[in-house]
Amino acid sequence: MAISEYPVGAVKQFFAEEDGLTAPDNKIQPPMYDAVSMDSVWGCHLTHQMRVLLYTEPLLRVLRSDEYRSEELEHYDSLALALKLFDYIVTHTGLEHEASSDTAMRNLLPIMDMMDQAAGIVPDVERQMRMAKIVLSALRNDKEGTRPFKRVYTDLATGHAVKRELAIRLIEERHTVHGDIVLHLSNEATNLLLHALAYDIEDAQAAAEAIVQSQLARGHLQDAINSAQVARWQSSRLRKKIEQLLAATRRDLSRVDWRQDIPRILEEALIHLKGRCEVEHNIIDSARKKQENLEPSSEEAYHLTTLISIIGDCRQCHMELQQQLMEAPQIFLDEQARQIFALRRCLDLPDMGTDVLEPLFGMRCVLAKQALDTIFASSLGVRAPSAFSLTQYMLRLLRPRREPRPETVPVIERELIAVSNDRLRYTRDVYERAEIYLNTLHYPVRLAYLLQQAIDAGESESTLEVILFSVLRHFDPLDIDDPTFQTIKRDNEQFSIGNFYGDNVLICSYEEIRKNE
């Protein structure tokens, strides 16, 4: 490592120790990090993000309080009521009739009516108003006299671990010009609510890069770097989204909608990439023009270099994603050809991650416990596997050995024979049953007719599978030494019988083909 890569304080201390100049108390002095190196250890944006996350703590406290409510109130979802309360206050702020405590709580009654009906409880306005007052009181911090919530966090942006206190206020009361008391959200709570909306990845990235352009034009380089890191993160999210769709296509084509949804997503992604590349080119060009008028060793030049590198990563990610989008239609065609003869399951089993665990984690504790009984019963089977018992094992070892008696337990000599290591999936009898239908063709027939004939005769599913695989293998007669029939695809006719589906090909015996020739 070059000397320039070490912190400045650490280099000075190294040369001082080499010259014999140590501190008077012979203690090692802590290294003093400069602004550039400290930003790589702990950036200012991390402190900002920590403060943003702390604003969600009062909301999470309201959500956790659902587990300790009385029985008559436990079916109400406090988080849903809190978000509806926030939305009502925001939409009425600045209007002629702003949100008061009474009107805000009464706005929650229709939602609590739906929660009562879902729980099979008769709606009661008095009970609902009591619950609404509990939620509003918790968000307003009435327990501490409506004072702000106090949260302590560690700030490392200065190069030292400093404990700081953050005053969090979600809902506050204000007086109007008419002397009325109304509810307002704090600026931080308003931003938290608006940024918590479900934006698309493309919209979030476009907004982040627009912020980068604005901050770069105003000279806020450190803020532009933080926004560029968010844009790079959104680029990575978009690439993972497309990769998951292509992975799902390779896994099971029937689970992905390639008729409407996927073509629309791919087209929108290509349009998005075209616009992003233009914006990123303009950002890099503007940053380089600013950099030409600065000293190469200045702090601003360093920040501009960092910004150019981050935006360059975004462009590289978008170029790789564009390559994947161009190859996506061919992946679909290849997987369609590969999976066309795949066997379909009679029962579509749920996905444990998205269909089971995610809804379970989103439930309240009481409902999740009730659902776990059914989930465990379905997942573990009829009985749990037996566990190792040390007690039973010791008793078995301590028992006296029982010698076998020849007159009661005959010992049969086993004859060793040579067998092949290749194990067939299907027995020889199954192959013989399938050959009866394939080698005795008197006239050309469709594959669907042949399968239906075997089903009517009561053949097993293994026999049907061997018939299908034999037809697929005879599609190329050059792979067969002495073929007895040939598979021909004349049209795009499809079939679906039982668990099998695919092209309804024509099967002809070689004797019929020679006669026609």
Side-chain angles (χ1 to χ4, degrees):
M1 179 182 291
I3 293 179
S4 59
E5 298 179 6
Y6 284 95
V8 177
V11 175
K12 293 180 179 179
Q13 179 182 350
F14 173 78
F15 285 110
E17 292 175 354
E18 288 294 320
D19 296 335
L21 301 177
T22 58
D25 54 357
N26 294 328
K27 293 182 179 179
I28 299 177
Q29 300 296 322
M32 301 300 295
Y33 295 96
D34 56 7
V36 175
S37 61
M38 189 58 219
D39 185 67
S40 63
V41 177
W42 180 272
C44 297
H45 66 284
L46 293 179
T47 301
H48 174 71
Q49 291 175 355
M50 183 186 298
R51 293 168 63 93
V52 171
L53 292 176
L54 286 176
Y55 271 90
T56 64
E57 199 276 339
L59 289 176
L60 297 178
R61 179 190 294 184
V62 173
L63 179 61
R64 290 194 299 267
S65 64
D66 286 345
E67 302 179 1
Y68 306 102
R69 303 206 187 282
S70 59
E71 186 176 355
E72 63 176 355
L73 300 178
E74 66 179 3
H75 64 284
Y76 292 121
D77 189 344
S78 298
L79 184 60
L81 297 177
L83 289 179
K84 179 59 180 177
L85 198 63
F86 285 166
D87 180 73
Y88 180 78
I89 295 174
V90 168
T91 54
H92 286 75
T93 298
L95 301 181
E96 181 180 359
H97 301 287
E98 296 195 55
S100 63
S101 298
D102 185 66
T103 56
M105 289 189 296
R106 291 192 176 277
N107 185 257
L108 301 178
L109 297 181
I111 297 179
M112 287 190 281
D113 282 341
M114 292 186 289
M115 294 180 182
D116 289 336
Q117 295 174 3
I121 300 175
V122 178
D124 183 15
V125 177
E126 183 179 354
R127 182 184 65 244
Q128 294 172 353
M129 290 295 292
R130 187 164 69 253
M131 181 62 190
K133 187 176 181 180
I134 292 174
V135 175
L136 179 59
S137 176
L139 297 175
R140 200 168 43 190
N141 200 15
D142 290 351
K143 185 180 295 186
E144 300 180 6
T146 68
R147 289 189 293 271
F149 298 94
K150 300 293 185 179
R151 293 294 175 266
V152 178
Y153 67 97
T154 303
D155 186 6
L156 303 171
T158 59
H160 305 281
V162 180
K163 292 290 184 180
R164 303 188 186 278
E165 188 177 65
L166 176 64
I168 302 173
R169 190 183 292 276
L170 298 179
I171 297 179
E172 52 190 6
E173 294 181 342
R174 297 182 183 178
H175 292 271
T176 64
V177 293
H178 303 290
D180 300 328
I181 299 178
V182 296
L183 300 177
H184 278 207
L185 291 186
S186 63
N187 293 331
E188 293 80 7
T190 303
N191 292 332
L192 179 65
L193 176 66
L194 297 179
H195 287 288
L197 298 178
Y199 291 121
D200 292 336
I201 300 176
E202 294 84 350
D203 296 337
Q205 186 184 24
E209 292 186 350
I211 294 174
V212 172
Q213 283 184 307
S214 176
Q215 293 170 339
L216 178 62
R218 291 181 288 129
H220 299 174
L221 300 182
Q222 185 60 53
D223 294 336
I225 291 175
N226 298 337
S227 302
Q229 291 174 345
V230 175
R232 180 170 58 182
W233 177 59
Q234 298 292 355
S235 300
S236 178
R237 288 183 60 201
L238 180 60
R239 182 171 63 180
K240 290 181 180 179
K241 172 185 174 182
I242 301 300
E243 289 176 351
Q244 288 176 356
L245 293 177
L246 297 180
T249 301
R250 294 187 178 96
R251 189 181 303 112
D252 188 357
L253 192 61
S254 62
R255 289 180 174 268
V256 187
D257 184 9
W258 273 88
R259 292 188 177 183
Q260 295 180 353
D261 290 345
I262 303 303
R264 175 182 55 81
I265 293 175
L266 298 181
E267 182 179 1
E268 292 178 354
L270 285 172
I271 297 175
H272 171 74
L273 292 183
K274 181 180 178 181
R276 292 305 93 215
C277 289
E278 294 178 358
V279 172
E280 290 158 1
H281 174 75
N282 294 334
I283 293 175
I284 294 176
D285 186 59
S286 300
R288 286 175 176 170
K289 289 180 180 178
K290 284 180 174 290
Q291 200 175 33
E292 291 176 356
N293 301 324
L294 299 174
E295 291 292 334
S297 59
S298 64
E299 183 178 350
E300 293 184 357
Y302 171 78
H303 289 323
L304 288 172
T305 302
T306 305
L307 179 62
I308 293 173
S309 175
I310 295 174
I311 299 299
D313 292 342
C314 294
R315 292 195 64 185
Q316 180 65 27
C317 179
H318 289 162
M319 296 299 293
E320 295 174 359
L321 179 58
Q322 186 178 21
Q323 181 67 23
Q324 292 180 337
L325 292 175
M326 299 296 291
E327 297 174 355
Q330 187 61 40
I331 293 176
F332 164 70
L333 296 176
D334 294 341
E335 293 302 320
Q336 187 182 40
R338 184 180 68 85
Q339 301 179 26
I340 193 169
F341 281 103
L343 303 179
R344 292 187 301 178
R345 295 179 298 185
C346 297
L347 179 62
D348 191 10
L349 299 177
D351 184 78
M352 292 300 296
T354 58
D355 298 336
V356 179
L357 293 181
E358 290 184 5
L360 184 64
F361 290 155
M363 293 181 182
R364 290 165 45 198
C365 183
V366 178
L367 299 178
K369 290 181 179 179
Q370 297 176 357
L372 282 176
D373 296 335
T374 305
I375 294 175
F376 283 151
S378 303
S379 302
L380 299 180
V382 179
R383 62 178 182 179
S386 58
F388 173 77
S389 174
L390 182 61
T391 303
Q392 296 294 330
Y393 181 70
M394 294 298 298
L395 290 177
R396 183 179 180 85
L397 292 178
L398 293 176
R399 289 175 183 173
R401 181 178 180 182
R402 295 183 179 182
E403 297 292 340
R405 292 180 294 177
E407 64 275 9
T408 58
V409 183
V411 178
I412 302 176
E413 294 292 336
R414 297 185 178 182
E415 182 181 357
L416 301 179
I417 59 175
V419 296
S420 175
N421 291 329
D422 297 331
R423 294 186 179 181
L424 299 177
R425 176 176 176 81
Y426 305 100
T427 62
R428 182 59 58 186
D429 179 68
V430 172
Y431 282 101
E432 293 175 356
R433 296 294 304 172
E435 291 175 357
I436 294 176
Y437 295 92
L438 295 172
N439 297 336
T440 58
L441 298 174
H442 300 290
Y443 51 87
V445 296
R446 292 279 186 174
L447 177 58
Y449 173 82
L450 196 64
L451 291 177
Q452 189 62 46
Q453 185 181 3
I455 292 174
D456 295 340
E459 299 293 347
S460 63
E461 189 168 352
S462 299
T463 304
L464 300 178
E465 292 176 4
V466 172
I467 293 175
L468 279 173
F469 290 138
S470 299
V471 170
L472 180 62
R473 185 186 178 193
H474 283 70
F475 192 82
D476 186 3
L478 298 179
D479 292 342
I480 309 300
D481 295 332
D482 189 14
T484 58
F485 64 91
Q486 185 177 0
T487 304
I488 302 174
K489 181 179 178 181
R490 290 188 173 180
D491 47 34
N492 294 326
E493 182 178 346
Q494 301 286 314
F495 78 95
S496 178
I497 298 177
N499 297 330
F500 311 100
Y501 69 102
D503 290 337
N504 197 10
V505 297
L506 190 66
I507 306 173
C508 305
S509 64
Y510 262 94
E511 295 180 359
E512 292 293 332
I513 295 175
R514 295 190 188 96
K515 290 179 181 179
N516 294 331
E517 292 178 350

